[in-house]
Amino acid sequence: MVTPIEVALVLVLLALLVGAYRIVKAVKPFVWNAVLGLIVFVLADLLFGLSVAISPLTLLVVAIAGVPGALLVILLSYLNVAFVAGLVL
């Protein structure tokens, strides 16, 4: 016989699974943008010697804006406005 506690636990588990699915579905495009942006940074460094300081702010810009954001970050770094890779001692 199934008790009301077991039914409640199954409903809570289903609610958690649906919530987790929605969170992953919402975050997935941002993760892809961040990965593509990092690939653009690596290619810019390998092909053109343009180095960009990778920081949480840089990743946030790239995750939200995608490849155009990565190009903007590279441009700002090249012009020494922001995101400049510095020497750490």
Side-chain angles (χ1 to χ4, degrees), residues 66-79:
V67 174
L71 296 175
L72 177 65
V73 167
I74 291 170
L75 177 67
L76 291 175
S77 176
Y78 178 73
L79 297 175

Side-chain angles (χ1 to χ4, degrees), residues 2-3 6-7 10 17 19-20 26 29-30 36 41 45 57 71 73 80 88:
V2 178
T3 64
E6 291 172 340
V7 172
V10 169
L17 286 174
F30 296 111
L36 288 175
F41 290 155
D45 188 29
L57 180 60
L71 296 175
V73 167
N80 291 327
V88 178

Side-chain angles (χ1 to χ4, degrees), residues 18-47:
V18 168
Y21 172 75
R22 288 187 179 185
I23 289 172
V24 168
K25 187 177 175 184
V27 172
K28 193 173 166 181
F30 296 111
V31 172
W32 278 110
N33 281 346
V35 169
L36 288 175
L38 288 174
I39 291 171
V40 169
F41 290 155
V42 169
L43 289 176
D45 188 29
L46 291 175
L47 298 176

Side-chain angles (χ1 to χ4, degrees), residues 47-74:
L47 298 176
F48 304 109
L50 302 172
S51 61
V52 176
I54 305 296
S55 67
L57 180 60
T58 307
L59 288 177
L60 181 65
V61 169
V62 173
I64 292 173
V67 174
L71 296 175
L72 177 65
V73 167
I74 291 170

